[in-house]
Amino acid sequence: MSQLLIRGGRPLRGEVTIQGAKNSVLPILAATLLTGGQVRLQNCPRLRDVDASIRILRALGCSAEWEGDCLLVDAAVLNSCSISDILMREMRSSAIFLGAILARCGQAELSYPGGCELGPRPIDLHLSGLRKLGAEIDEAGGLLRCAAKRLVGQEIVLSLPSVGATENLMLAGCGAEGVTVISNAAREPEIVDLQEFLKACGAEVCGAGTSTVTVRGGRPLHGCTYAIMPDRIVAATYLGAIASAGGEGFLRNAREEHLSTVTAVLRGAGCEIRVEEAGIACCCRERLRAVRPVRTAPYPGFPTDAQAVLMAALLCSRGATVFEEHIFENRYRHVDELIRMGADIRVSGRVAVVSGVEALHGAAVRCTDLRGGAALCVAALAAEGETSVSEIEHIDRGYACMEQDLGMLQADIRRVETER
């Protein structure tokens, strides 16, 4: 097992390049199943979730090999349409393979997905949408057995703008006859990235980034070379790290248009943020101040994935900040670990109140989930003494090498191996 040892109390300074987006590359990897040639994905992050997706692709008969920071996927041969329970349990977003396999093979068999325990994240919207396209789905015994002699495009109105359901229906729509219209679609930048990849492969898709996505199916797709967009949540994390520890840094490739709600809050807290063509510069010279209530919401609202790291950045601010979590029920699992470091946080249901303290202290803490683990690292950078962060396999699901990235900002952080 590994853990991170972080000695806080020193301002950050330097430059770090933002990795490719986890939440973009995973649906794009599923989308490679729709192509008949080789796909070359540039700026592909080496993550535990990417490794899990590679194992799924290989189990289905595809080849997937690394070449530097590029991942080469060849889905010309597909000799299976089922994914084992072991592979499905490794990550929540494994459900994204359902639409692609069904479109490619006319059938699919997989179990319910795993991932971080953030509360109920049902895939009912995925399944109801696929059924409307013509799929027959049997959910008995914890397995999803899906079959469709042919998928036919329809207008599908989502009851809420689910990212996963939007992506799954986009992939299934590529294999359907006629036009599929997804209304009340998710608008996240990662949806746009998926659309641009599909278009590079020859698909006819438009509307991503708005609430209506249109897919004209039945077009044969081919391989391509495509660069994954920068990870906006990783960028938000490192902005939070600079805000927490103080100092200044430059995040190369970070896109402010994807982070405007996060940068607005940090500006309100007292950070100086400058947007440049090559990225975002952040400078924090004074103690932060509390900000107006932060309410998570679907994009373009404040991202739930950035809630924990912003909370960590504000632990030593002047005043009190209210957080309201409206996406996941269990998004405050990191709070107890932050309290071990001296934080003053009160939670009631979906609301958390952070009252700034004079100082944090190092402690032994453990990751509860991906973004909660990142928040512990952000807080540790401001704490006096050393913090040990264990169960960092959660962090490795979404950050290619956090200790290396923070090291580029001159943080005192190292990964060590420990006995179980």
Side-chain angles (χ1 to χ4, degrees):
M1 295 181 65
S2 301
Q3 65 177 4
L4 294 175
L5 298 181
I6 303 171
R7 186 166 293 279
R10 58 185 292 177
L12 301 185
R13 184 178 300 274
E15 177 182 312
V16 63
T17 298
I18 301 302
Q19 68 183 53
K22 164 188 175 288
N23 291 336
S24 183
V25 70
L26 299 182
I28 285 176
L29 285 173
T32 62
L33 294 175
L34 301 175
T35 71
Q38 187 180 83
V39 171
R40 183 183 184 90
L41 296 179
Q42 299 172 332
N43 196 34
C44 187
R46 291 180 178 255
L47 307 170
R48 285 174 61 93
D49 275 9
V50 170
D51 289 340
S53 294
I54 290 173
R55 286 193 290 274
I56 289 174
L57 289 171
R58 289 172 176 166
L60 294 172
C62 307
S63 67
E65 303 296 336
W66 287 100
E67 188 179 276
D69 71 342
C70 295
L71 182 62
L72 307 182
V73 179
D74 193 331
V77 176
L78 210 64
N79 53 31
S80 176
C81 59
S82 65
I83 304 175
S84 71
D85 180 66
I86 293 175
L87 290 174
M88 285 297 297
R89 287 181 181 273
E90 289 194 31
M91 62 176 185
R92 172 67 60 173
S93 53
S94 54
I96 193 61
F97 282 90
L98 178 56
I101 296 174
L102 193 59
R104 173 80 180 264
C105 304
Q107 59 182 328
E109 182 176 308
L110 57 161
S111 63
Y112 280 88
C116 289
E117 298 176 4
L118 301 176
R121 289 191 281 182
I123 60 172
D124 296 356
L125 294 180
H126 304 230
L127 303 184
S128 63
L130 292 173
R131 285 187 172 109
K132 191 160 186 181
L133 293 179
E136 297 180 358
I137 304 176
D138 180 2
E139 301 178 61
L143 289 177
L144 297 172
R145 296 181 178 88
C146 312
K149 291 183 179 179
R150 69 184 187 121
L151 297 173
V152 180
Q154 303 285 342
E155 179 175 2
I156 301 170
V157 181
L158 299 178
S159 59
L160 55 89
S162 163
V163 174
T166 300
E167 293 167 340
N168 238 333
L169 295 173
M170 287 172 67
L171 299 186
C174 286
E177 299 175 8
V179 178
T180 297
V181 178
I182 307 166
S183 297
N184 196 29
R187 299 164 58 187
E188 275 74 1
E190 294 81 7
I191 302 288
V192 178
D193 213 29
L194 176 60
Q195 171 183 277
E196 295 310 301
F197 170 77
L198 290 171
K199 289 169 64 176
C201 294
E204 190 173 335
V205 188
C206 64
T210 74
S211 58
T212 303
V213 177
T214 302
V215 182
R216 185 173 297 277
R219 297 172 64 94
L221 303 189
H222 51 74
C224 71
T225 296
Y226 190 79
I228 304 297
M229 63 173 273
D231 196 309
R232 62 193 174 102
I233 305 303
V234 170
T237 300
Y238 297 156
L239 286 172
I242 297 167
S244 177
E248 57 185 305
F250 184 74
L251 310 186
R252 185 164 296 278
N253 294 340
R255 299 179 184 175
E256 207 264 348
E257 65 268 25
H258 296 165
L259 289 163
S260 58
T261 54
V262 176
T263 54
V265 172
L266 290 174
R267 284 190 177 102
C271 296
E272 298 176 17
I273 295 178
R274 186 177 70 257
V275 179
E276 301 179 6
E277 184 177 350
I280 299 175
C282 179
C283 180
C284 299
R285 297 188 176 90
E286 305 291 339
R287 182 181 178 185
L288 299 183
R289 54 182 175 267
V291 297
R292 293 181 297 178
V294 177
R295 301 178 176 92
T296 64
Y299 191 87
F302 191 91
T304 181
D305 281 351
Q307 173 257 109
V309 295
L310 180 66
M311 178 183 290
L314 293 173
L315 295 178
C316 293
S317 62
R318 292 187 177 90
T321 298
V322 175
F323 288 81
E324 296 180 19
E325 175 57 52
H326 295 289
I327 306 299
F328 295 128
E329 290 183 6
N330 297 335
R331 266 296 197 194
Y332 295 135
R333 298 177 66 218
H334 56 283
V335 165
D336 287 344
E337 300 302 302
L338 292 175
I339 290 174
R340 291 170 64 91
M341 301 172 68
D344 183 352
I345 308 172
R346 289 167 292 151
V347 175
S348 178
R350 292 183 177 270
V351 176
V353 179
V354 178
S355 299
V357 297
E358 291 296 324
L360 300 172
H361 54 77
V365 295
R366 67 177 186 87
C367 299
T368 56
D369 57 81
L370 168 55
R371 306 305 175 185
L376 299 181
C377 296
V378 168
L381 293 169
E384 299 173 357
E386 186 173 80
T387 297
S388 62
V389 184
S390 61
E391 299 185 30
I392 61 174
E393 62 272 11
H394 291 292
I395 294 175
D396 292 339
R397 287 186 48 236
Y399 297 83
C401 192
M402 178 178 278
E403 68 273 18
Q404 179 176 307
D405 284 350
L406 290 176
M408 296 297 291
L409 296 174
Q410 299 183 25
D412 187 345
I413 178 173
R414 58 194 174 96
R415 180 183 294 245
V416 298
E417 299 301 319
T418 61
E419 296 182 1
R420 288 185 177 270

